[in-house]
Amino acid sequence: WDVLKLIQTDINRTFANLSFFQHGCLLHDQLQELLCVYAKYRPDVGYIQGMSFLAGHLLLYIEDVYMAFVALANLMNTSLFNPLFKPKGWRTAFRPHYDLHRSLLKQHSPHLHSHFDAEGVETDMYMLEWILTLFSRRLRLDSAGRVWDMYLTHGETFIQKAALGVIKLLEKTLLRANFAECLKILKEAPSQIDPQELIVASELIRMKNSDMFHLKRDRIQEGSFVGDL
């Protein structure tokens, strides 16, 4: 019952600007069914807030609910989401990504890195939601679709590039903001980003082979690395 109540609450906040998921609409019921079935399929994970955006995004492109369930189950079993099955779950699942993002931020935007440090803006304050929903909650639907395409094609590397791409496009505004303003910008401003501008900014981010090696090394040490997409 607690899981069902949490799912129902989250569905009402999933793509709230789209009528498809409103109560009484077909996708609302399909989304609830999909999430409830997955929670029963993987009781070790159950339902995690934000997962509705992953399932909802899939339902926008896959009409058959069963096939959408298969896609969600496969997505959750990739190396990006697999750490959610560990005992500490979402609390530590993306820590290697936070550390890598922080390192890349220092390389590509040193002034903003210092500004975040001075204001107390921690990586997990925005990256947790970005990763857990694959950017679907904060980006425009067409922008999120482009990120999904690139992630499914290139793997976890593009998650880091997309995050830095968003940061770079918002950098000038963020540098003038205090702690509360930074969090508000990171929450609201990504929805105004043009998808092509985001892809261009993301592709300009250069990553070394050693960057992803360190991410995989951390996963291996934690016993949660299951390979690339």
Side-chain angles (χ1 to χ4, degrees):
W1 166 248
D2 289 340
V3 172
L4 176 59
K5 188 175 181 180
L6 183 58
I7 288 173
Q8 290 174 334
T9 300
D10 251 16
I11 289 176
N12 293 328
R13 299 183 294 215
T14 302
F15 299 117
N17 58 325
L18 297 178
S19 60
F20 308 124
F21 294 100
Q22 299 305 305
H23 186 74
C25 295
L26 178 62
L27 288 185
H28 177 281
D29 296 338
Q30 289 183 343
L31 181 56
Q32 179 173 305
E33 177 186 3
L34 174 54
L35 292 171
C36 286
V37 170
Y38 184 81
K40 292 180 180 179
Y41 169 68
R42 291 304 302 256
D44 49 337
V45 176
Y47 175 76
I48 299 173
Q49 282 188 297
M51 197 183 291
S52 59
F53 282 89
L54 295 178
H57 193 98
L58 290 169
L59 283 173
L60 288 173
Y61 294 92
I62 304 174
E63 293 184 6
D64 185 273
V65 181
Y66 173 72
M67 293 308 298
F69 164 75
V70 171
L72 178 63
N74 287 333
L75 180 65
M76 295 301 293
N77 200 43
T78 60
S79 58
L80 178 61
F81 293 107
N82 188 261
L84 290 170
F85 302 142
K86 306 294 286 184
K88 294 183 181 179
W90 61 268
R91 294 176 181 82
T92 60
F94 305 128
R95 186 173 296 164
H97 269 284
Y98 302 155
D99 294 341
L100 178 55
H101 175 76
R102 198 74 179 173
S103 174
L104 292 172
L105 181 64
K106 188 174 184 179
Q107 293 176 39
H108 295 276
S109 300
H111 294 300
L112 186 58
H113 178 274
S114 298
H115 182 64
F116 276 4
D117 275 349
E119 293 295 331
V121 178
E122 299 292 341
T123 303
D124 62 330
M125 293 176 179
Y126 55 95
M127 280 289 283
L128 172 60
E129 185 181 72
W130 288 2
I131 298 174
L132 188 56
T133 67
L134 281 180
F135 296 89
S136 292
R137 185 168 190 175
R138 296 304 172 193
L139 291 179
R140 279 169 35 180
L141 193 58
D142 52 353
S143 297
R146 294 291 297 276
V147 171
W148 277 59
D149 287 345
M150 297 297 283
Y151 163 64
L152 293 173
T153 302
H154 301 290
E156 291 183 55
T157 302
F158 196 77
I159 297 299
Q160 291 292 335
K161 288 188 173 185
L164 262 295
V166 171
I167 292 292
K168 292 294 288 185
L169 291 171
L170 302 177
E171 184 170 14
K172 290 181 180 179
T173 306
L174 288 166
L175 283 170
R176 298 192 297 267
N178 60 30
F179 172 79
E181 291 168 341
C182 281
L183 294 187
K184 184 177 181 180
I185 291 166
L186 291 166
K187 180 179 179 180
E188 299 177 358
S191 64
Q192 306 302 316
I193 294 176
D194 176 80
Q196 188 57 35
E197 289 184 1
L198 175 58
I199 296 301
V200 171
S202 301
E203 291 290 14
L204 289 175
I205 303 299
R206 293 289 176 261
M207 293 178 60
K208 305 171 185 175
N209 291 333
S210 58
D211 291 329
M212 293 307 291
F213 170 78
H214 290 309
L215 179 64
K216 293 178 181 179
R217 182 194 62 190
D218 291 341
R219 291 275 179 75
I220 291 171
Q221 290 174 347
E222 294 175 1
S224 59
F225 181 63
V226 295
D228 291 326
L229 277 168

